[in-house]
Amino acid sequence: MEKLIIELKTEIIKVLNLEDITIEDIGNDDPLFGDGLGLDSIDALELIVLMEKDYGIKLKDANQGRDIFKSILTMAEYISKNRTI
Amino acid sequence: MDLSVIKYCQIKNNACFLNGENIFQSSEEKTADKSLVELYRSRKIKYPKFFKMDKLAKTGFLAVDILLENTELYGTEPKYNTGIFLLNSSASLDTDEVYLETIGDNYFPSPSVFVYTLPNIVMGEISIRHKFFGENIFFVSSKKNNFAFYDYVNQAFIDNQMKYAIVGWVDYYRQKSDALVMLIKKQDKETELKFEKNTILNLYK
């Protein structure tokens, strides 16, 4: 799980252009949206693409995203249970 | 109606000029993209969304941010009396090409690149930053001295309740930033720099 968490943080910083942020700055439980990393709706779409491209997960219900994208930890847990690649 | 140019800001060849004075120069070996980030940091601007913008939006955002420094238009107080009128020759082609590259064999286009595949998004970024709610329009033209565009700006001052307008050229294509933006208002004094053909041609030199 720890390896997946670091991989996710690295990829999120890259695809979302979080220029001033390092993987150490992102806590596993920090909220990704709102007060945490401050991601927006376009970033959410980018995360959905990332899940499909890198882990073969297709989100059928957009409302699922609310729970999955709460934090890096919730994302990693969902990916480890549902990944197809 | 006579209009005057209050201030102007130019970004070109990895340098930035405010009212003709060189205020920033990056190494010529740096890519234009890296030079824009260096310019952003040199102005001590705190706006993390800058890093998510495409290069055209970064160019326009910085040129206008520097233009508006120390004016009443800088900041997040809502403003309803300011128009934005921009033009360029490359539209959003630089980002269009990047977007095309994100589409691979398995079709995974990038949403965060896609949102910038229109040149007028640069005006959206400027408007969000400074809370502009006035008229805005983006022209695509092969020439900087497209006087139909400048006639449009004049007409907009006649037809609207505009007090100020941000007007000019904002272009980015293949590692080349080129922006000249002017802050325009209705002329108060004869001594002010007139917003007219010769002035525009001189500033673009």
Side-chain angles (χ1 to χ4, degrees), chain B residues 142-156:
Chain B
S142 60
K143 293 185 300 184
K144 287 177 177 168
N145 57 351
N146 181 332
F147 289 101
F149 168 75
Y150 298 102
D151 287 345
Y152 186 92
V153 175
N154 274 287
Q155 193 61 41

Side-chain angles (χ1 to χ4, degrees), chain B residues 148-185:
Chain B
F149 168 75
Y150 298 102
D151 287 345
Y152 186 92
V153 175
N154 274 287
Q155 193 61 41
F157 268 95
I158 294 167
D159 293 345
N160 290 295
Q161 298 298 313
M162 268 188 340
K163 188 173 174 192
Y164 295 106
I166 295 159
V167 181
W169 179 270
V170 176
D171 204 14
Y172 188 100
Y173 187 56
R174 294 194 173 170
Q175 288 301 337
K176 211 171 163 192
S177 289
D178 185 8
L180 175 74
V181 289
M182 298 165 262
L183 183 59
I184 309 292
K185 69 169 178 58

Side-chain angles (χ1 to χ4, degrees), chain B residues 9-20:
Chain B
C9 178
Q10 187 168 30
I11 295 177
K12 198 175 182 180
N13 300 331
N14 289 3
C16 180
F17 301 85
L18 184 61
N19 297 331

Side-chain angles (χ1 to χ4, degrees), chain A residues 17 19-20 42-43 46 52, chain B residues 41 51-52 110-112 115:
Chain A
N17 291 318
E19 183 89 1
D20 283 332
I42 299 296
D43 296 323
E46 204 66 65
E52 184 171 347
Chain B
R41 293 195 200 282
F51 295 104
K52 296 183 186 182
S110 166
S112 59
V115 293

